[in-house]
Structures are given as C-alpha cells and as structure tokens.
Amino acid sequence: MRILDGDLVAANTEIVASITDENIYLPLDRPEVFDIKIQQPDGQELSIDAGTSTFSYEFQPGVNKARLRFQPLLPQNGTYKLIVKGSDISGNLAGKLLYEINFEVILEQQLSYFLPYPNLFSTQTQFVYTLTGLTDEVSAYIQILTISGRVVRHIDEVELGSLSVGTHRTEFVWDGRDDNGDQLANGVYLYRVVARNDTSKEAIKHYESEQDTFFTNGIGKIVILR
C-alpha cells in the first residue's frame, strides 16, 4: 500500500521502490539506478545493503522497469524519513526533487479503540483502528449490545478478519443486523472490542488517541438510523 506522510508502519515492514523508463534500448538492469536512504529518529542513517534487499527488472517491448524490495529492521521508536533518488542507466535523474516521506514506528504492540465509520449509519458501517508493534499477530472480536447490556451481535475473529499494523479500516462491513440476520431497530447501541496476541494470548495494551473521549471503560456507542 502507498502510505501517507506521517503514517504508522510496522518495524519489520517491507519497502518497495520502482522506476519506469521510456527508453526502450537501455534496460534498467542494475541496482545502482536506485539511491535510497532511511534516516532514523536519532538522525543516524540506516544502511540498505544487498543482504536486506532484492533487485529485479523487466525489459521487453514497451516495458522497461526496475524494482527494489528491502525489509530493514527499524530498531527505534519515533519518526523515520525515507529518501529515494532514481536514475536511468546513463545516470540521468528521474526528477529534480527527491521522493521523501516520513513514517512512524512504535515497537510495543498496542491497539486503539475501534471507531465506527460512518456513525450514525443506515445500511452499513466499518471500523477504523490503529495497531502498533512488530507483527500483525492479533485476533479481535466485537460485541454489539443494547443499552441494557444484552449482546445482539457477536462478530468473531474469522468474520472480522486480520488486523494490520498502522491505521486501517476493517474489511468487515456490518449491515446493522443481529446474530439471527434480522435488522436491528433504529437507536443507540453499545459495542466493545476484545483483542489478544495470537502467540502469548495476552490482552493487547491500549493505544491512546484523540478518539478516547468517545469511549467509557472501553465501550463505545453506535447509532442506527434508517
């Protein structure tokens, strides 16, 4: 996925850089067409060597592309800067400006509260969350409750799908129906999320965010209005 400036990523994320050249005679067949640097939060430069990267190119009629994949271990909490410079095989730069983007790494595994989007909704809603840490090994389920506390919809780990490090919206879409497939009445409902690490089975620590004001003891509100 193409991240935005300042996005949160995993510490063991894979980074892919690619170059396309309109020249059909000189293939981009050497890794030297890439000049890539990563600045760590402490200002030091993280080296990218052949042991952590894989270079490939494609050269055929109408196609002249090169790609570099690398998966550096990002050892520090904080904001990193990725700087990419590309050139053709003759050394001509891809542009006057370098490609630069900042991204954040948090080594400890934490999970924010889930926020329905949209909320209120009439036909369907998804859930937005932020996950930090080294891996995506997290399972979670969601319970939808009435104001009195009765569970009307249980969204299990399989149905919810896997969670990924960063800020994302779940692939799962809730259509406002209960466990029997019946439409719930208009009104305010409560929901809570339970998450654990797949390996240790321990509960995931809470990631604090501005959205915490919408929750009381980890329980949020969701509104259906058709």
Side-chain angles (χ1 to χ4, degrees):
M1 61 177 293
R2 185 181 294 273
I3 66 171
L4 300 176
D5 194 68
D7 271 359
L8 185 71
V9 304
N12 60 348
T13 191
E14 181 184 60
I15 300 174
V16 181
S18 62
I19 298 176
T20 300
D21 191 0
E22 295 178 351
N23 190 318
I24 61 173
Y25 300 106
L26 298 176
L28 299 168
D29 58 358
R30 281 175 271 173
E32 288 76 21
V33 298
F34 293 99
D35 183 4
I36 300 177
K37 297 174 181 160
I38 298 179
Q39 291 180 358
Q40 298 183 133
D42 62 2
Q44 298 295 313
E45 188 175 303
L46 190 66
S47 62
I48 301 169
D49 54 39
T52 59
S53 63
T54 302
F55 172 80
S56 62
Y57 74 96
E58 182 181 2
F59 186 66
Q60 56 181 311
V63 179
N64 189 8
K65 297 180 179 179
R67 178 173 292 176
L68 187 69
R69 294 178 177 269
F70 53 103
Q71 192 169 1
L73 179 61
L74 307 173
Q76 301 174 9
N77 286 314
T79 300
Y80 292 75
K81 181 187 289 290
L82 173 67
I83 305 170
V84 181
K85 180 170 65 175
S87 61
D88 64 15
I89 207 66
S90 300
N92 300 306
L93 294 178
K96 294 182 179 180
L97 299 177
L98 301 178
Y99 175 81
E100 297 185 2
I101 193 165
N102 299 290
F103 58 88
E104 184 182 5
V105 170
I106 299 176
L107 299 176
E108 186 179 22
Q109 193 170 63
Q110 303 174 46
L111 182 65
S112 71
Y113 292 136
F114 280 42
L115 198 66
Y117 181 81
N119 188 21
L120 57 211
F121 76 98
S122 59
T123 58
Q124 61 182 31
T125 191
Q126 293 169 276
F127 294 88
V128 177
Y129 66 91
T130 296
L131 176 65
T132 71
L134 296 173
T135 68
D136 300 337
E137 297 178 351
V138 175
S139 297
Y141 64 85
I142 301 175
Q143 290 180 324
I144 310 293
L145 310 93
T146 63
I147 292 296
S148 63
R150 180 172 62 89
V151 177
V152 293
R153 180 72 163 91
H154 179 87
I155 305 163
D156 63 25
E157 294 94 335
V158 175
E159 193 173 10
L160 182 61
S162 59
L163 306 182
S164 301
V165 172
T167 299
H168 302 284
R169 187 163 52 182
T170 61
E171 294 182 4
F172 171 80
V173 178
W174 184 44
D175 57 5
R177 296 178 182 272
D178 63 16
D179 282 334
N180 296 321
D182 299 324
Q183 282 191 344
L184 292 171
N186 289 346
V188 178
Y189 293 84
L190 306 177
Y191 72 95
R192 63 185 172 197
V193 178
V194 178
R196 65 182 182 183
N197 181 278
D198 290 338
T199 302
S200 67
K201 306 304 180 183
E202 295 180 351
I204 305 298
K205 292 185 178 181
H206 174 62
Y207 175 78
E208 297 182 358
S209 68
E210 297 178 355
Q211 285 72 37
D212 286 1
T213 56
F214 297 107
F215 296 83
T216 303
N217 297 324
I219 296 179
K221 295 182 180 179
I222 189 167
V223 182
I224 300 176
L225 181 61
R226 297 185 180 90

